[in-house]
Amino acid sequence: IPSMEHVHKRRDNPIKTPTQVGVKRFNAMMVDPEVFRFTFTREPVGRFCSAYLSKLSRGKGNSGMSGRLWAHMGWPDDYVLTLEEFGALCAQDTAIRDFDPHWRMQRMPIAFDVIDYSFLGQHHNFAEDFAKVSRRIFGEEVEVFDTRARFQRFTQARKAAQEVSDTLRANIQRAYAADFDMLAEIADRGLNRMECPPEGPARRLNRAALRSSGLCDAEASVEGLTFPGHLAQQGRGLKMRAVIGGEGNG
């Protein structure tokens, strides 16, 4: 994978969209107990700090997200938005909080209130949780292409989250109350816990498996398959490479 552009462009992903799968079949998959439905969530304070540091902090003035927000707010190009101010804005104005997917509430994009998830992994425990997911779907762990390491996309969000002021933490809790409630519900229902399945025999990826699954383009290149966490997968006979990032939910 040569750049983040290839990760972000949905049309470069050989996994079919719900529309391509077919609305009737996709809706059936959403309630089929045999279909394993999963995604990953992130602790809101760390996620908020990561979004700010990667998209809006000093030196990020040329990013698309900051340009749109600056224009929306009527700020001059050289305006410096602090983390504290950003937290206050998001707490006061839901339009600002929901302005961009990187800091929008997680509850909406993962459709938590719509999808009956089998498992919701945790960002801070990604390696262990994704190993469980891959074994559950494919019978073995799959290769992970870490865009953070490959493209040096680290933000020090964990350190920043540990050092936030009480005022900022309160603003984040106010702005993302629904996300905090969601995480509490996930824990109460045990949706963030899953026994690690034993590793099964290796499964070799082949064109026939791609065609029979109906979820991937049979003509797509096998190398560099991306794996969107929130897409329900049956994983019959498929072996894939997972691609993870360092922003947004993950």
Side-chain angles (χ1 to χ4, degrees):
I1 301 177
S3 71
M4 285 298 297
E5 181 180 4
H6 293 272
V7 176
H8 287 145
K9 284 188 177 179
R10 186 61 180 87
R11 66 173 179 267
D12 290 342
N13 193 327
I15 297 177
K16 290 184 177 181
T17 65
T19 300
Q20 291 170 325
V21 170
V23 174
K24 184 176 181 180
R25 183 181 182 191
F26 184 80
N27 287 339
M29 292 171 68
M30 290 296 97
V31 296
D32 187 343
E34 297 301 314
V35 173
F36 181 71
R37 295 174 288 272
F38 77 97
T39 191
F40 278 77
T41 61
R42 188 170 187 176
E43 188 278 320
V45 177
R47 179 173 179 263
F48 184 83
C49 291
S50 176
Y52 170 81
L53 291 170
S54 64
K55 305 300 179 188
L56 304 175
S57 62
R58 185 189 294 271
K60 301 292 182 179
N62 292 325
S63 75
M65 280 64 72
S66 64
R68 288 192 293 273
L69 181 60
W70 264 237
H72 176 79
M73 298 299 295
W75 293 332
D77 292 343
D78 60 353
Y79 185 80
V80 177
L81 175 68
T82 67
L83 182 59
E84 291 278 346
E85 182 185 4
F86 185 46
L89 285 171
C90 288
Q92 296 164 6
D93 189 344
T94 56
I96 301 301
R97 183 201 62 195
D98 298 335
F99 193 80
D100 186 88
H102 290 87
W103 60 84
R104 185 177 300 154
M105 283 199 305
Q106 297 171 79
R107 190 169 190 133
M108 294 183 290
I110 70 171
F112 178 74
D113 299 296
V114 177
I115 298 175
D116 183 15
Y117 281 106
S118 311
F119 176 69
L120 291 103
Q122 301 172 83
H123 176 272
H124 70 269
N125 199 42
F126 181 86
E128 181 178 337
D129 283 351
F130 188 75
K132 294 176 182 179
V133 168
S134 61
R135 288 187 177 188
R136 169 64 175 77
I137 297 174
F138 304 113
E140 61 180 331
E141 294 185 25
V142 301
E143 178 186 358
V144 173
F145 182 90
D146 191 340
T147 61
R148 299 167 303 177
R150 175 65 178 81
F151 303 119
Q152 294 298 301
R153 299 171 64 86
F154 296 100
T155 62
Q156 303 299 318
R158 182 175 298 180
K159 181 176 183 294
Q162 294 171 344
E163 298 175 351
V164 298
S165 68
D166 291 342
T167 299
L168 176 55
R169 187 174 298 276
N171 278 330
I172 295 173
Q173 290 173 340
R174 176 183 170 190
Y176 298 92
D179 277 355
F180 283 98
D181 290 345
M182 175 187 71
L183 295 179
E185 181 180 342
I186 290 170
D188 289 344
R189 294 171 58 190
L191 293 174
N192 58 350
R193 298 188 293 274
M194 178 174 63
E195 294 297 323
C196 188
E199 188 164 354
R203 297 169 176 172
R204 299 186 65 83
L205 180 66
N206 54 62
R207 297 290 183 185
L210 284 170
R211 293 190 185 96
S212 66
S213 73
L215 296 176
C216 295
D217 181 352
E219 301 305 319
S221 171
V222 171
E223 288 301 316
L225 289 175
T226 58
F227 195 28
H230 57 274
L231 179 63
Q233 286 288 335
Q234 289 171 301
R236 295 171 181 168
L238 299 181
K239 181 178 180 182
M240 306 179 75
R241 171 185 295 175
V243 179
I244 65 172
E247 297 151 11
N249 286 352

